[in-house]
Amino acid sequence: MLRACPVVSVSLVVLQICIRFSVAIVITEQPVSVSVPVGYSFTLRCRAEACTSLQYQWFCQHQSVCCQIPGATEQDLLITAQQTQLYTCRINDLYKNAVFSNWVKVEVHQCVARGLLPQLWRGEPVIILNPIEQKVEVGKPLQLQCAAMGVPAPSFQWYRNGNVLEHQKKKKLWINHAKVSDSGTYLCCASNSHGEHWTNAVDIHVGTCHSEKFFATDKIALLVGNNHYQHHPNLMAPVTDVFELSLLLKQLGFQVVSLLDLNKAEMTTAVSRFLQLLGKGVYAIFYYAGHGYEHSGRNYMVPIDAPQPYAPENCISVQRILQKMQQRQTALNLILLDTCRKWYNPECALSQVQPLEPWGNTVYGYATSEDAEAYELQDGEFSSGIFMKYLKKHILQEKKVTHMLEDVLEDIGRDPLVTGKQVMEIKHTLKEARALTDPICPSGAAALRWGRGHELLSEIVMFPCGARVELRFHQVFSNVIYVCAKLQAQPSHITDVRLLLCRPTERQDVTILKGSHPDHVESLLASVFKQEEQDCAFQLSGLQKTQTDVLLQLDLHYTQLSTKQRTCESLQKVLQKSLVAQLFSHRSSAQPSYQQTPASAGSLCLRDTSTSTLSGPKAQAPLRMGSGHSLPNSNPSNSCSEPEENDESNLSELCSALLRAGPGQDCP
């Protein structure tokens, strides 16, 4: 029994040695890095477990100097952020064992915009620095940077064109030698345990445009000209001004939507679709010619159905359009108002418009000054606004857009016809020397978004008698299309050939449609296409009202040499609804897809409905729709009646195809 005591004593000593030198201190909660604004108070936490009681001591390191923090001997360290520093915590047990926590970084942001941090901030990521768009030469380094606050400090992940960049997980994205394939739209996601937040998307172009100071990711223009009013005097100049401006803007690379004679609902829809096309880096132009007025600094456009007197609820606010344009983060917003600015209805309430953001990208070009009128000029058979007379003289200049408009202002000021009556006015916040002549450098996303659509190409059709006819299509305005037909080959067994284009579905309503389109539009069309020798032409206008396919009929009247009988053969063509009925369609309220273009969207479909009939000199029914008119050929026939003048019939969706068409195309 007495010999057992030494054995027990030895066992206790061994146990104490094992406890002292083998049992580890286990850290159960490591402190975490944070990213906070200066003056923000927070707590660093550290927790550990061991077989004995533990002691804590916090240390900090700043500019390579590490020092013990006096009095920081608790598990929690309360900090009021002053400067960026590194922190760690040492944990000791009673046997002088010690371990250190991970080093953590307390990143302190000295300049954070007031109101950027939510009042009840829980530590979720808050973006305080967004990357900026760049143009980079091939082979040069590309660097993008962002910053975010968060508790814990956020982690970062970069994306290009929506795809994860696996090795770009820091605040700074760095590519040593940029390639053309590195072009695209970049953005970064900052995330922590409380959520995630994304930076703004920026467009990066690598390559061909590096020599230019500024560029556009695309150029989009909406032009509206109201001539024919229901309750106000008609105007003459807008149709010519819109047409001429559209040609000039296409030379500058703009995709142009030009519309004539819109009511309020149609103007609202057109603006909505226009806004959907805008995006970051786009140059956007909105031009309006027609009746208008000003009320307490607000400008209003008058739709063709607006009643008397003018009132904001019946008109369209220009400032509201500009506000929505800014929300699309465009690089340049140019508003051109070729309208009167007389003061009306001081007792009416103003439309609700929020102040514009100070982004420095907006230019107003007013045709006239406050409480003044804008004038038209009669030039032969055409009319033109004074403003457009000089704008088209300078708009192609390679200079800052505001300087170009100043040249227009000076020319108007020197015109004796309007001295003391009309003075142009310019307002702008344009902080960069952007010009309408700047090149287009699409981003990766923009290249998909602005895919060019199919053209309506000329087409040869064959009649049963063997006659070959060429059909050609000209986009005069987005809601006016001009269809021409010319006989290419006449079989030897027929003579006295006459071609007619018409809308067969409209033949029962002649009087309703006759004379509804202004004569000066037809004069404009004749002047544009007078160089083309056509046997017949047909105008489809007011297409914004069309909600169905457009059916055209081509009639061939001729005399058979063998029987001396008069014969008519007909072919029908369909302009698909996908081509002519999307922009104003009631079902197109969602943002359209620009990456899918139906295969049939750029062509005419031949319906197998060709017919041949015998007729006497007066057997042909009068035709309805379109300013279609037969042009005399070398051997005219008096047996054919000609189509009536066009009405304001129906557009809807030809404009959507035009939006997908390239600049300068005759048709979508």
Side-chain angles (χ1 to χ4, degrees), residues 86-126:
L86 299 176
Y87 290 83
T88 187
C89 184
R90 185 188 67 200
I91 305 101
N92 295 84
D93 64 13
L94 297 180
Y95 299 103
K96 299 184 180 179
N97 295 313
V99 294
F100 284 86
S101 70
N102 297 336
W103 283 96
V104 295
K105 183 178 183 179
V106 174
E107 184 179 32
V108 181
H109 300 277
Q110 301 293 331
C111 298
V112 176
R114 179 178 299 177
L116 188 61
L117 201 65
Q119 289 185 350
L120 300 177
W121 189 39
R122 299 182 301 106
E124 67 274 13
V126 176

Side-chain angles (χ1 to χ4, degrees), residues 224 226 262-271 288 301-303 316:
V224 177
N226 284 343
L262 303 184
N263 59 36
K264 184 182 179 184
E266 292 163 352
M267 288 183 71
T268 301
T269 300
V271 169
Y288 171 74
M301 301 174 292
V302 181
I316 306 294

